[in-house]
Amino acid sequence: FLQICSHVFLQICSRVFLQICSHVFLQICSRVFLQICSHVFLQICSRVFLQICSHVFLQICSRVFLQICSHVFLQICSRVFLQICSHVFLQICSRVFLQI
């Protein structure tokens, strides 16, 4: 009777123990795995996102800066050129007119 009982008890206990342990082990492992994976995933994603964003931001900024600068530069140059040209033209015209 003792042998049978101890055998049955061991069988039942071992199954219950295995089920509980496997459940607890899976719970712990899944949480740890999720934490590690989410951390790694966030690290990788944030780096990739930053690289892409910084690249796009630089592209947009450089284009806008170039457009603004070229526009301003053209405006300034055209005004200066016009002033110089009109001054020179007036000087030449006045001399020619005076000679005539």
Side-chain angles (χ1 to χ4, degrees):
F1 182 76
L2 271 175
Q3 285 182 344
I4 294 173
C5 276
S6 65
H7 182 74
V8 170
F9 184 75
L10 275 174
Q11 287 292 318
I12 293 172
C13 277
S14 64
R15 287 183 184 165
V16 169
F17 184 76
L18 272 173
Q19 286 181 345
I20 292 172
C21 278
S22 65
H23 182 74
V24 170
F25 184 76
L26 276 173
Q27 286 292 317
I28 294 172
C29 279
S30 65
R31 287 181 184 168
V32 170
F33 185 75
L34 272 173
Q35 286 182 345
I36 293 174
C37 277
S38 64
H39 182 73
V40 171
F41 184 75
L42 276 173
Q43 287 292 318
I44 293 173
C45 278
S46 64
R47 287 180 184 167
V48 170
F49 185 75
L50 272 174
Q51 286 181 344
I52 293 174
C53 277
S54 64
H55 182 74
V56 171
F57 184 75
L58 276 173
Q59 288 292 317
I60 293 173
C61 277
S62 63
R63 287 181 184 166
V64 169
F65 185 75
L66 272 173
Q67 286 181 344
I68 292 173
C69 278
S70 63
H71 182 74
V72 170
F73 184 76
L74 276 173
Q75 287 292 319
I76 293 172
C77 278
S78 64
R79 287 181 184 165
V80 170
F81 185 75
L82 272 173
Q83 284 180 348
I84 293 173
C85 279
S86 64
H87 182 73
V88 170
F89 184 74
L90 277 173
Q91 288 291 321
I92 294 172
C93 280
S94 64
R95 286 182 184 164
V96 169
F97 183 74
L98 275 175
Q99 286 180 352
I100 295 174

